[in-house]
Amino acid sequence: MKKKGFFGEFKEFIARGNVMDMAVGVIIGGAFGKISTSLVNDIIMPLISMLTGGIDFSAWKWVLKAAVGETPEVAVNFGVFLATVLDFIIIAFAVFCMIRAINSLHRKKEEPAAEEPASAPEPSAEEVLLTEIRDLLKEKKD
């Protein structure tokens, strides 16, 4: 067996169909991420800000050190973090729903059509012989 070089292995890896599927998934995932981010930033966060008295949710922060002169402030921007977490939860939920639907389709595909009930197993030779002996003994008694 001839040993392949680094580039030969790379060429074989790229030629596999699942690499192309993965590339398409990454591209669609990026586009879906933009939709999810827009949903969070442009629809959900303004509603939350309205419920909190008009505060800009992304501006929520804890200032650790105020800006002095030309030095910028040091702050923990937890509003942006919460928006990112919400964005992640939406994407994770969508992926979960998609995987669940795919698994459901796979289970339906794998289920065999209405199976016939299993018939009783055939008796062994010993059981047949014992049954015949029993029947003969019953006939002698009668």
Side-chain angles (χ1 to χ4, degrees):
M1 183 175 190
K2 186 178 178 184
K3 189 174 183 180
K4 296 181 183 180
F6 177 80
F7 290 108
E9 287 181 34
F10 182 70
K11 180 181 174 185
E12 183 179 321
F13 173 75
I14 292 297
R16 290 184 190 154
N18 56 357
V19 173
M20 296 306 288
D21 294 342
M22 184 177 67
V24 169
V26 168
I27 292 168
I28 290 175
F32 182 76
K34 289 180 181 180
I35 291 170
S36 175
T37 301
S38 177
L39 174 68
V40 170
N41 292 339
D42 301 329
I43 296 173
I44 295 174
M45 290 307 165
L47 292 173
I48 292 175
S49 292
M50 188 176 74
L51 293 173
T52 59
I55 298 172
D56 180 15
F57 192 75
S58 63
W60 287 3
K61 59 185 173 183
W62 289 313
V63 177
L64 302 175
K65 183 178 177 186
V68 178
E70 292 183 17
T71 58
E73 73 178 3
V74 178
V76 175
N77 297 317
F78 68 91
V80 174
F81 175 74
L82 290 175
T84 304
V85 168
L86 186 59
D87 193 28
F88 168 77
I89 290 170
I90 290 170
I91 291 172
F93 181 72
V95 169
F96 168 75
C97 290
M98 183 178 67
I99 296 298
R100 189 168 185 229
I102 289 170
N103 287 342
S104 174
L105 290 174
H106 283 295
R107 279 192 297 270
K108 285 182 182 178
K109 185 178 178 183
E110 291 174 359
E111 288 178 2
E115 292 184 19
E116 295 179 24
S119 59
E122 293 292 322
S124 66
E126 292 87 11
E127 289 176 313
V128 172
L129 183 60
L130 288 171
T131 304
E132 289 175 2
I133 293 171
R134 181 196 67 200
D135 294 342
L136 287 172
L137 289 172
K138 278 186 182 180
E139 287 179 12
K140 281 189 173 183
K141 283 184 180 180
D142 292 335

